[in-house]
Coordinates of all heavy atoms in Angstrom, one line a residue:
M28 N 131.0 98.0 104.0 CA 130.3 96.8 104.6 C 131.0 95.5 104.1 O 131.3 95.4 102.9 CB 128.8 96.8 104.3 CG 128.1 95.8 105.1 SD 126.3 96.0 105.0 CE 126.1 97.5 106.0
N29 N 131.0 94.5 104.9 CA 131.6 93.2 104.5 C 130.7 92.5 103.5 O 129.5 92.7 103.5 CB 131.8 92.3 105.7 CG 132.8 92.9 106.7 OD1 133.7 93.6 106.3 ND2 132.6 92.6 108.0
T30 N 131.3 91.7 102.7 CA 130.5 90.9 101.8 C 129.8 89.8 102.6 O 130.3 89.1 103.5 CB 131.4 90.2 100.8 OG1 132.2 91.1 100.1 CG2 130.6 89.3 99.8
Q31 N 128.4 89.8 102.4 CA 127.6 88.8 103.1 C 126.8 88.1 102.1 O 126.6 88.5 101.0 CB 126.7 89.6 104.0 CG 127.4 90.4 105.1 CD 126.4 91.1 106.0 OE1 125.5 90.6 106.6 NE2 126.6 92.4 106.1
V32 N 126.3 86.9 102.6 CA 125.6 86.0 101.7 C 124.2 85.9 102.2 O 123.9 86.0 103.4 CB 126.3 84.6 101.5 CG1 127.6 84.8 100.8 CG2 126.4 83.9 102.8
C33 N 123.3 85.6 101.3 CA 121.8 85.4 101.6 C 121.7 84.1 102.5 O 122.2 83.1 102.2 CB 121.1 85.2 100.3 SG 119.4 84.8 100.5
M34 N 120.9 84.2 103.6 CA 120.6 83.1 104.4 C 119.7 82.1 103.8 O 119.6 81.0 104.3 CB 120.1 83.6 105.8 CG 118.7 84.2 105.7 SD 118.1 84.9 107.3 CE 117.6 83.4 108.1
Y35 N 119.0 82.4 102.7 CA 118.1 81.5 102.1 C 118.8 80.7 100.9 O 118.7 79.5 100.8 CB 116.9 82.2 101.5 CG 116.1 82.9 102.7 CD1 116.1 84.3 102.8 CD2 115.4 82.1 103.5 CE1 115.3 84.8 103.8 CE2 114.7 82.7 104.6 CZ 114.7 84.0 104.7 OH 114.0 84.6 105.7
C36 N 119.5 81.4 100.1 CA 120.1 80.8 98.9 C 121.6 80.9 98.7 O 122.1 80.3 97.9 CB 119.4 81.3 97.6 SG 120.0 83.0 97.2
G37 N 122.2 81.6 99.6 CA 123.7 81.7 99.5 C 124.2 82.7 98.5 O 125.4 82.8 98.3
G38 N 123.3 83.5 97.9 CA 123.6 84.5 96.9 C 124.3 85.7 97.5 O 124.2 85.9 98.8
Q39 N 125.0 86.5 96.7 CA 125.7 87.7 97.2 C 124.6 88.8 97.6 O 123.7 89.0 96.8 CB 126.6 88.2 96.1 CG 127.8 87.3 95.9 CD 128.8 87.3 97.0 OE1 129.0 88.4 97.6 NE2 129.3 86.2 97.4
L40 N 124.9 89.4 98.6 CA 124.1 90.6 99.1 C 124.7 91.9 98.6 O 125.9 92.1 98.7 CB 123.9 90.6 100.6 CG 123.2 89.4 101.2 CD1 123.0 89.6 102.7 CD2 121.8 89.1 100.5
E41 N 123.8 92.7 98.0 CA 124.3 94.1 97.6 C 123.5 95.1 98.3 O 122.3 95.0 98.6 CB 124.0 94.2 96.1 CG 124.8 93.2 95.2 CD 124.3 93.2 93.8 OE1 123.3 93.9 93.5 OE2 125.0 92.6 92.9
E42 N 124.2 96.2 98.7 CA 123.6 97.3 99.3 C 122.7 98.1 98.3 O 123.3 98.5 97.3 CB 124.6 98.3 99.9 CG 125.2 97.8 101.2 CD 126.1 98.9 101.8 OE1 125.5 99.8 102.4 OE2 127.3 98.7 101.8
Q43 N 121.5 98.3 98.6 CA 120.6 99.0 97.7 C 119.6 99.8 98.6 O 119.4 99.5 99.7 CB 119.8 98.1 96.9 CG 120.6 97.3 95.8 CD 119.7 96.5 94.9 OE1 118.5 96.7 94.8 NE2 120.2 95.5 94.3
R44 N 119.0 100.8 97.9 CA 117.8 101.5 98.5 C 116.6 100.9 98.0 O 116.4 100.8 96.8 CB 117.9 103.0 98.2 CG 119.2 103.7 98.6 CD 119.0 104.4 99.9 NE 120.2 104.7 100.6 CZ 120.3 105.5 101.6 NH1 119.2 106.0 102.2 NH2 121.4 105.8 102.2
V45 N 115.7 100.5 98.9 CA 114.5 99.8 98.5 C 113.3 100.5 99.1 O 113.4 101.3 100.0 CB 114.5 98.3 99.0 CG1 115.7 97.6 98.4 CG2 114.5 98.2 100.5
T46 N 112.1 100.1 98.6 CA 110.8 100.6 99.1 C 110.3 99.5 100.1 O 110.1 98.4 99.6 CB 109.8 101.0 98.0 OG1 110.4 102.0 97.2 CG2 108.5 101.4 98.6
R47 N 110.0 99.9 101.3 CA 109.5 98.9 102.2 C 108.0 99.2 102.5 O 107.6 100.3 102.7 CB 110.3 99.1 103.6 CG 109.9 98.1 104.6 CD 111.1 97.9 105.6 NE 110.6 97.3 106.8 CZ 111.4 96.9 107.8 NH1 112.7 97.2 107.8 NH2 110.9 96.3 108.9
F48 N 107.2 98.1 102.5 CA 105.8 98.2 102.7 C 105.5 97.6 104.0 O 105.8 96.4 104.2 CB 105.1 97.5 101.5 CG 103.7 97.8 101.3 CD1 103.2 99.1 101.5 CD2 102.8 96.8 100.9 CE1 101.9 99.4 101.2 CE2 101.5 97.1 100.8 CZ 101.0 98.4 100.9
Q49 N 105.0 98.3 105.0 CA 104.9 97.8 106.3 C 103.6 98.2 107.0 O 103.1 99.3 106.8 CB 106.1 98.3 107.1 CG 106.2 97.8 108.5 CD 107.5 98.1 109.1 OE1 108.6 97.9 108.5 NE2 107.5 98.5 110.3
K50 N 103.1 97.3 107.8 CA 101.9 97.6 108.6 C 102.3 98.3 109.9 O 103.2 97.8 110.6 CB 101.1 96.4 108.9 CG 99.6 96.7 109.1 CD 98.7 95.5 108.9 CE 97.3 95.9 108.7 NZ 96.4 94.7 108.5
Y51 N 101.7 99.4 110.3 CA 102.0 100.1 111.5 C 100.7 100.5 112.1 O 100.0 101.3 111.5 CB 103.0 101.3 111.3 CG 103.3 102.0 112.5 CD1 104.2 101.5 113.4 CD2 102.7 103.2 112.8 CE1 104.4 102.2 114.6 CE2 103.0 103.9 113.9 CZ 103.8 103.4 114.9 OH 104.1 104.1 116.0
Q52 N 100.4 100.0 113.3 CA 99.1 100.3 114.0 C 97.9 100.2 113.1 O 97.1 101.2 112.9 CB 99.2 101.8 114.6 CG 100.2 101.8 115.7 CD 100.3 103.2 116.4 OE1 99.9 104.2 115.8 NE2 100.9 103.2 117.5
D53 N 97.8 99.0 112.4 CA 96.6 98.8 111.5 C 96.6 99.6 110.2 O 95.6 99.6 109.6 CB 95.3 98.9 112.3 CG 95.0 97.6 113.0 OD1 95.7 96.6 112.7 OD2 94.1 97.6 113.9
R54 N 97.6 100.3 109.9 CA 97.7 101.0 108.7 C 98.9 100.6 107.9 O 100.0 100.4 108.5 CB 97.7 102.5 108.9 CG 96.4 103.1 109.3 CD 96.5 104.5 109.4 NE 95.2 105.1 109.8 CZ 94.9 106.4 109.8 NH1 95.8 107.3 109.4 NH2 93.7 106.8 110.2
W55 N 98.8 100.5 106.6 CA 99.9 100.2 105.8 C 100.6 101.5 105.4 O 100.0 102.4 105.0 CB 99.5 99.5 104.4 CG 99.2 98.0 104.7 CD1 98.0 97.4 104.9 CD2 100.1 97.0 104.9 NE1 98.1 96.1 105.1 CE2 99.4 95.8 105.1 CE3 101.5 96.9 104.9 CZ2 100.0 94.5 105.3 CZ3 102.1 95.6 105.1 CH2 101.3 94.5 105.3
V56 N 101.9 101.5 105.5 CA 102.7 102.6 105.2 C 103.8 102.2 104.2 O 104.3 101.1 104.3 CB 103.3 103.3 106.4 CG1 102.2 103.9 107.2 CG2 104.2 102.4 107.2
L57 N 104.2 103.1 103.3 CA 105.4 102.9 102.5 C 106.5 103.7 102.9 O 106.3 104.9 103.2 CB 105.0 103.3 101.0 CG 104.2 102.4 100.1 CD1 104.0 103.1 98.8 CD2 105.1 101.2 99.8
I58 N 107.7 103.1 103.0 CA 108.9 103.9 103.3 C 109.9 103.7 102.1 O 110.3 102.6 101.8 CB 109.6 103.4 104.6 CG1 108.5 103.3 105.7 CG2 110.7 104.3 105.0 CD1 108.0 101.9 105.9
E59 N 110.1 104.8 101.5 CA 111.0 104.7 100.3 C 112.5 105.0 100.6 O 112.8 105.6 101.6 CB 110.6 105.8 99.3 CG 109.2 105.5 98.7 CD 108.7 106.5 97.7 OE1 109.1 107.7 97.8 OE2 108.1 106.1 96.7
N60 N 113.3 104.4 99.8 CA 114.8 104.6 99.9 C 115.4 104.1 101.3 O 116.2 104.8 101.8 CB 115.1 106.1 99.7 CG 114.8 106.6 98.3 OD1 115.1 105.9 97.4 ND2 114.1 107.7 98.3
V61 N 114.8 103.0 101.7 CA 115.4 102.4 102.9 C 116.7 101.6 102.5 O 116.6 100.8 101.6 CB 114.4 101.5 103.6 CG1 114.9 100.8 104.9 CG2 113.1 102.2 103.9
P62 N 117.8 101.9 103.2 CA 119.0 101.1 103.0 C 118.8 99.6 103.3 O 118.3 99.4 104.4 CB 120.1 101.7 103.8 CG 119.4 102.5 104.8 CD 118.0 102.8 104.3
A63 N 119.1 98.7 102.4 CA 118.9 97.3 102.7 C 120.0 96.5 102.0 O 120.7 97.0 101.1 CB 117.5 96.9 102.1
L64 N 120.1 95.3 102.4 CA 121.0 94.4 101.6 C 120.1 93.5 100.8 O 119.2 92.8 101.4 CB 121.8 93.5 102.7 CG 122.9 94.3 103.4 CD1 123.5 93.5 104.5 CD2 124.0 94.8 102.5
V65 N 120.2 93.4 99.6 CA 119.4 92.7 98.6 C 120.2 91.6 98.0 O 121.2 91.8 97.5 CB 118.8 93.6 97.5 CG1 117.8 92.9 96.6 CG2 118.1 94.8 98.2
C66 N 119.6 90.3 98.0 CA 120.2 89.2 97.4 C 120.2 89.3 95.9 O 119.1 89.5 95.3 CB 119.5 87.9 97.9 SG 120.2 86.4 97.1
S67 N 121.3 89.2 95.3 CA 121.4 89.3 93.8 C 120.8 88.1 93.1 O 120.5 88.1 91.9 CB 122.8 89.5 93.3 OG 123.6 88.5 93.8
Q68 N 120.6 87.0 93.9 CA 120.1 85.8 93.3 C 118.6 85.6 93.5 O 117.8 85.4 92.5 CB 120.8 84.6 94.0 CG 120.8 83.3 93.2 CD 121.9 82.4 93.6 OE1 123.0 82.6 93.0 NE2 121.7 81.6 94.5
C69 N 118.1 85.7 94.7 CA 116.6 85.5 94.9 C 115.8 86.8 95.2 O 114.6 86.8 95.3 CB 116.4 84.5 96.1 SG 116.7 85.1 97.7
G70 N 116.6 87.9 95.5 CA 115.9 89.2 95.6 C 115.4 89.4 97.0 O 114.8 90.5 97.4
E71 N 115.7 88.5 98.0 CA 115.3 88.7 99.4 C 116.0 90.0 99.9 O 117.1 90.2 99.6 CB 115.7 87.5 100.1 CG 115.2 87.4 101.6 CD 113.7 87.3 101.7 OE1 113.1 86.7 100.8 OE2 113.1 87.9 102.6
Q72 N 115.3 90.7 100.7 CA 115.8 91.9 101.3 C 116.1 91.7 102.8 O 115.2 91.2 103.5 CB 114.8 93.1 101.1 CG 114.5 93.4 99.7 CD 113.4 94.4 99.5 OE1 112.8 94.8 100.5 NE2 113.2 94.9 98.3
F73 N 117.2 92.2 103.2 CA 117.6 92.1 104.6 C 117.8 93.6 105.2 O 118.5 94.4 104.5 CB 118.8 91.3 104.8 CG 118.7 89.9 104.3 CD1 119.0 89.5 103.0 CD2 118.2 88.9 105.2 CE1 118.8 88.3 102.5 CE2 118.0 87.6 104.7 CZ 118.3 87.3 103.4
F74 N 117.3 93.8 106.4 CA 117.4 95.2 106.9 C 118.3 95.1 108.2 O 118.2 94.2 109.0 CB 116.1 95.8 107.3 CG 115.2 95.9 106.1 CD1 114.3 95.0 105.7 CD2 115.3 97.1 105.3 CE1 113.6 95.2 104.5 CE2 114.6 97.3 104.2 CZ 113.7 96.3 103.8
T75 N 119.2 96.0 108.3 CA 120.1 96.1 109.5 C 119.3 96.7 110.6 O 118.2 97.3 110.4 CB 121.3 97.0 109.3 OG1 120.8 98.4 109.0 CG2 122.1 96.6 108.1
P76 N 119.7 96.5 111.8 CA 118.9 97.1 113.0 C 118.9 98.6 112.8 O 117.8 99.2 113.2 CB 119.8 96.6 114.2 CG 120.4 95.4 113.8 CD 120.7 95.5 112.3
A77 N 119.9 99.2 112.3 CA 119.9 100.7 112.2 C 118.8 101.1 111.1 O 118.2 102.1 111.3 CB 121.3 101.1 111.7
A78 N 118.7 100.3 110.1 CA 117.7 100.6 109.1 C 116.3 100.4 109.7 O 115.4 101.2 109.4 CB 117.8 99.7 107.8
H79 N 116.2 99.4 110.5 CA 114.9 99.1 111.1 C 114.5 100.3 112.1 O 113.4 100.8 112.1 CB 114.9 97.8 111.9 CG 113.7 97.5 112.6 ND1 112.6 97.0 112.0 CD2 113.3 97.7 113.9 CE1 111.6 96.9 112.9 NE2 112.0 97.3 114.1
D80 N 115.5 100.7 112.8 CA 115.2 101.9 113.7 C 114.8 103.1 113.0 O 114.0 103.9 113.4 CB 116.5 102.2 114.6 CG 116.7 101.1 115.6 OD1 115.8 100.2 115.8 OD2 117.8 101.1 116.2
L81 N 115.5 103.4 111.9 CA 115.2 104.5 111.0 C 113.7 104.5 110.6 O 113.0 105.5 110.6 CB 116.1 104.4 109.8 CG 116.0 105.5 108.7 CD1 116.5 106.9 109.2 CD2 116.8 105.1 107.5
V82 N 113.3 103.3 110.1 CA 111.9 103.1 109.7 C 110.9 103.4 110.8 O 109.9 104.1 110.7 CB 111.7 101.7 109.1 CG1 110.2 101.4 108.9 CG2 112.4 101.6 107.8
V83 N 111.2 102.8 112.0 CA 110.4 103.0 113.2 C 110.2 104.5 113.5 O 109.2 105.0 113.8 CB 110.8 102.2 114.3 CG1 110.0 102.5 115.6 CG2 110.6 100.7 114.1
D84 N 111.4 105.2 113.5 CA 111.4 106.6 113.8 C 110.5 107.4 112.8 O 109.7 108.2 113.2 CB 112.8 107.2 113.6 CG 113.6 107.0 114.9 OD1 113.0 106.4 115.9 OD2 114.8 107.4 114.9
L85 N 110.6 107.0 111.5 CA 109.8 107.8 110.5 C 108.4 107.5 110.7 O 107.5 108.5 110.7 CB 110.2 107.2 109.1 CG 111.5 107.8 108.5 CD1 111.9 107.0 107.3 CD2 111.4 109.3 108.2
I86 N 107.9 106.3 110.9 CA 106.5 106.0 110.8 C 105.8 106.2 112.2 O 104.6 106.2 112.3 CB 106.2 104.6 110.3 CG1 106.8 103.5 111.2 CG2 106.8 104.5 108.9 CD1 106.5 102.1 110.6
S87 N 106.6 106.4 113.2 CA 106.0 106.5 114.5 C 105.7 108.0 114.9 O 105.4 108.3 116.0 CB 106.9 105.9 115.6 OG 108.1 106.6 115.7
G88 N 105.8 108.8 113.8 CA 105.2 110.2 114.0 C 106.3 111.3 114.2 O 105.9 112.4 114.4
K89 N 107.6 110.9 114.0 CA 108.6 112.0 114.2 C 108.8 112.8 112.9 O 109.4 113.8 112.9 CB 110.0 111.3 114.6 CG 109.9 110.8 116.0 CD 111.2 110.2 116.4 CE 111.1 109.5 117.8 NZ 112.3 108.7 118.1
S90 N 108.2 112.2 111.8 CA 108.3 112.9 110.5 C 106.9 112.9 109.8 O 106.1 112.1 110.1 CB 109.3 112.2 109.6 OG 110.5 112.0 110.2
N91 N 106.7 113.9 109.0 CA 105.5 113.9 108.2 C 105.7 113.1 106.9 O 106.8 113.2 106.4 CB 105.1 115.3 107.9 CG 104.6 116.1 109.1 OD1 103.9 115.5 109.9 ND2 105.0 117.4 109.2
P92 N 104.7 112.4 106.4 CA 104.9 111.7 105.1 C 105.1 112.7 104.0 O 104.6 113.8 104.1 CB 103.5 111.0 104.9 CG 102.7 111.4 106.0 CD 103.4 112.2 107.0
V93 N 105.9 112.3 103.1 CA 106.2 113.2 101.9 C 105.0 113.3 101.0 O 104.8 114.3 100.3 CB 107.4 112.7 101.1 CG1 108.7 113.0 101.9 CG2 107.4 111.3 100.7
R94 N 104.2 112.2 101.0 CA 102.9 112.3 100.2 C 102.1 111.1 100.8 O 102.5 110.3 101.5 CB 103.2 112.1 98.7 CG 103.7 110.8 98.3 CD 103.9 110.7 96.8 NE 104.2 109.3 96.3 CZ 105.4 108.8 96.4 NH1 106.4 109.5 96.9 NH2 105.6 107.6 96.0
T95 N 100.8 111.1 100.3 CA 99.9 110.0 100.7 C 99.3 109.3 99.4 O 99.0 110.0 98.5 CB 98.7 110.6 101.5 OG1 99.2 111.3 102.6 CG2 97.8 109.5 102.0
E96 N 99.4 108.0 99.4 CA 98.8 107.2 98.3 C 97.6 106.5 98.8 O 97.5 106.1 99.9 CB 99.9 106.2 97.9 CG 101.3 106.7 97.6 CD 101.4 106.8 96.1 OE1 100.4 106.6 95.3 OE2 102.6 107.2 95.6
T97 N 96.7 106.2 97.8 CA 95.6 105.4 98.0 C 95.9 104.0 97.6 O 96.4 103.9 96.5 CB 94.3 105.9 97.3 OG1 94.0 107.2 97.7 CG2 93.1 105.0 97.6
V98 N 95.7 103.0 98.4 CA 96.1 101.6 98.0 C 94.9 100.8 97.8 O 94.0 100.7 98.6 CB 97.0 101.0 99.2 CG1 97.4 99.6 98.9 CG2 98.2 101.9 99.4
A99 N 94.9 100.1 96.7 CA 93.8 99.1 96.4 C 94.1 97.8 97.1 O 95.3 97.3 97.1 CB 93.7 98.9 94.9
V100 N 93.2 97.2 97.8 CA 93.4 96.0 98.6 C 92.5 94.9 98.0 O 91.3 95.1 97.8 CB 93.0 96.3 100.1 CG1 93.2 95.0 100.9 CG2 93.8 97.4 100.7
Y101 N 93.1 93.7 97.8 CA 92.4 92.6 97.3 C 92.5 91.4 98.3 O 93.4 91.4 99.1 CB 93.0 92.1 95.9 CG 92.9 93.2 94.9 CD1 93.9 94.1 94.7 CD2 91.8 93.2 94.0 CE1 93.8 95.1 93.7 CE2 91.7 94.2 93.0 CZ 92.7 95.1 92.8 OH 92.6 96.1 91.9
D102 N 91.6 90.5 98.2 CA 91.5 89.4 99.1 C 91.5 88.1 98.2 O 90.6 87.9 97.5 CB 90.3 89.4 99.9 CG 90.2 88.3 101.0 OD1 91.0 87.3 100.8 OD2 89.5 88.4 102.0
A103 N 92.5 87.4 98.3 CA 92.7 86.2 97.5 C 91.7 85.1 97.8 O 91.4 84.3 97.0 CB 94.1 85.6 97.6
E104 N 91.1 85.2 99.0 CA 90.1 84.2 99.4 C 88.8 84.4 98.6 O 88.1 83.5 98.5 CB 89.7 84.5 100.9 CG 90.7 84.0 101.9 CD 90.6 82.5 102.2 OE1 89.5 82.0 102.2 OE2 91.6 81.9 102.5
L105 N 88.6 85.6 98.0 CA 87.5 85.9 97.3 C 87.6 85.6 95.8 O 86.7 85.7 95.0 CB 87.0 87.4 97.5 CG 86.8 87.8 98.9 CD1 86.5 89.3 99.0 CD2 85.7 87.0 99.5
A106 N 88.8 85.2 95.4 CA 89.1 85.0 94.0 C 88.4 83.6 93.5 O 88.3 82.7 94.3 CB 90.6 85.0 93.7
K107 N 88.0 83.6 92.3 CA 87.3 82.4 91.8 C 88.1 82.0 90.5 O 88.6 82.8 89.8 CB 85.9 82.7 91.4 CG 85.1 82.8 92.6 CD 83.6 82.9 92.3 CE 82.7 83.0 93.6 NZ 81.3 83.2 93.3
Ligands
LIG214 ZN1 119.1 84.8 98.1

């Protein structure tokens, strides 16, 4: 892949496998080991259209989850 730069800070992007946290049909799902380009400077993650399609395929029911996690949810509006 060609060397690319971050659209936010201009840092170098590196290919990495990341965990993506995404809402799908009102449920949060985790997708591990998604190929992404990660900025070495600010940490912003960028996904190629192919990686996006892969995620959609996985979470839209073509695969079973490898495991299920319980997620604690907090609301910052309620913080004092
Ligand atoms: Zn950056």
Side-chain angles (χ1 to χ4, degrees):
M28 187 170 290
N29 294 331
T30 302
Q31 297 179 56
V32 295
C33 176
M34 63 184 285
Y35 298 110
C36 75
Q39 290 291 319
L40 297 183
E41 297 171 349
E42 281 187 77
Q43 289 184 25
R44 298 263 167 173
V45 303
T46 298
R47 185 160 161 175
F48 199 39
Q49 182 168 319
K50 205 162 201 180
Y51 178 75
Q52 293 182 343
D53 275 345
R54 287 186 177 187
W55 283 101
V56 294
L57 276 176
I58 311 97
E59 295 182 321
N60 297 312
V61 181
L64 292 169
V65 181
C66 177
S67 59
Q68 201 157 274
C69 73
E71 189 65 35
Q72 298 174 353
F73 300 90
F74 296 94
T75 64
H79 179 77
D80 289 348
L81 179 70
V82 166
V83 171
D84 276 359
L85 281 169
I86 65 180
S87 63
K89 292 179 185 169
S90 306
N91 290 319
V93 289
R94 68 179 190 278
T95 302
E96 302 261 6
T97 301
V98 178
V100 180
Y101 297 91
D102 186 343
E104 287 275 329
L105 302 177
K107 289 185 177 177

